[in-house]
Amino acid sequence: MPVKEVEKFMIIGLGIFGSELAIDLSRKGHQVIGVDSDRDRANRLKDILENTFIIDSTNLKGMSTLPLKETNWVIVAIGENEGASLMTVGILKSMGVNKIICRSLSKTHEYILAAMNIHDIVHPEKEAAQQLSHRLTYNLGKEMLFIDNDHSVTETLVPSWMVNKRLADLDIRGEFKVNIISVLRDENVSKTKSKVDIEKKCKGVITPEFVFMEGDIIVTFGKNDDIKKMMTANL
Amino acid sequence: MPVKEVEKFMIIGLGIFGSELAIDLSRKGHQVIGVDSDRDRANRLKDILENTFIIDSTNLKGMSTLPLKETNWVIVAIGENEGASLMTVGILKSMGVNKIICRSLSKTHEYILAAMNIHDIVHPEKEAAQQLSHRLTYNLGKEMLFIDNDHSVTETLVPSWMVNKRLADLDIRGEFKVNIISVLRDENVSKTKSKVDIEKKCKGVITPEFVFMEGDIIVTFGKNDDIKKMMTANL
């Protein structure tokens, strides 16, 4: 069994979140059907997705024309309009669809989703807001995963005192209680007349012999305060 | 110098993203001013934030009444309305505000932001969409940080074959090329008559003597395929 399998997704609501999701799932090789009541939004994705439907998802009659039986997951990606999101979920449930993922719009919205037994909920705005708030508070890297209130996995530019040194010669765990998980390094991917496309590639689990280079992005785990101390150390 | 410092933020646009950000920054002890043209949105946060203003941010005259000189960062959190977002940023720039963070609404929107020299951009919907797409493809944990296309840091439920075993007795790195970074474990935080609040606490960098328990969330680093193999192994 291969790890990646082709699945069939239906995405209802093709705003920024819904269309990004539809495009990304298609790129990964899945079959994606997009649904929106707005003709322009649906048509914009016509050539990228398996199929698009211009349908008002709060209307039971319209919804019954969709190939719901052939999809593995229905993702309700509607933003802003809580009523429309709930009506859509209600119609899906009444039609016997069970694998539903819904975008969260507010606490009340989630309360009603829970009453309908929908527990697979995504919080695009909330998570991005927490991420930004955390970054502004700790002034750490741009990309991070909070492990709990005090700990995170953070991507930051390698501090200058690590450059050209071997990992084995830097007692980073002893000195700062920080764990270096991996490193991202620039690789020239393609070069045309007008620009060079550079991609950061992950060096996997690094060995004690690994030598840091200027411009490396280090992926670290530790307490936020400890990571910040390591980043701002002047050795 | 403490690692956390109180900063002064102004957040323009108090929809889901803007208000979550305002609340989170306030909770972390910062001074936050919220701005929205909608009275209800502004008033909802009146008692939580330092101050709220009901102002149309696309109007220069209104904007000149804001205490912009006393803020460290202005975050333009407006969603959906690209024109309003750009007008707001333009007015801020014309007033000499330089530390601006803007929410991304589309590629064209970002192109114009770049022309105005705004490079600190957040992508709430795009990042959440990529995260969900990745999770649906690899069927990994809910919380993850992509390191590159192939590697990620992922939080997943501990597989049953690890439960009650010492880390030293499980050759996880050798067997799966996966690194266990840390573990989150439930802790009873408070218990009232009606409910028990349980919080997951990070166990920091774990030692070889660490014993996994049922319900632990393990934080792992590795190739997506390797993490999936480890999770679905039947040992």
Side-chain angles (χ1 to χ4, degrees), chain A residues 78-89:
Chain A
I78 295 168
E80 305 293 324
N81 191 335
E82 298 173 322
S85 170
L86 291 170
M87 278 299 292
T88 302
V89 173

Side-chain angles (χ1 to χ4, degrees), chain A residues 55-74:
Chain A
I55 275 176
D56 174 3
S57 62
T58 64
N59 178 299
L60 179 62
K61 216 169 165 185
M63 288 287 274
S64 60
T65 65
L66 293 175
L68 282 162
K69 286 204 176 129
E70 293 150 40
T71 59
N72 300 116
W73 283 100
V74 179

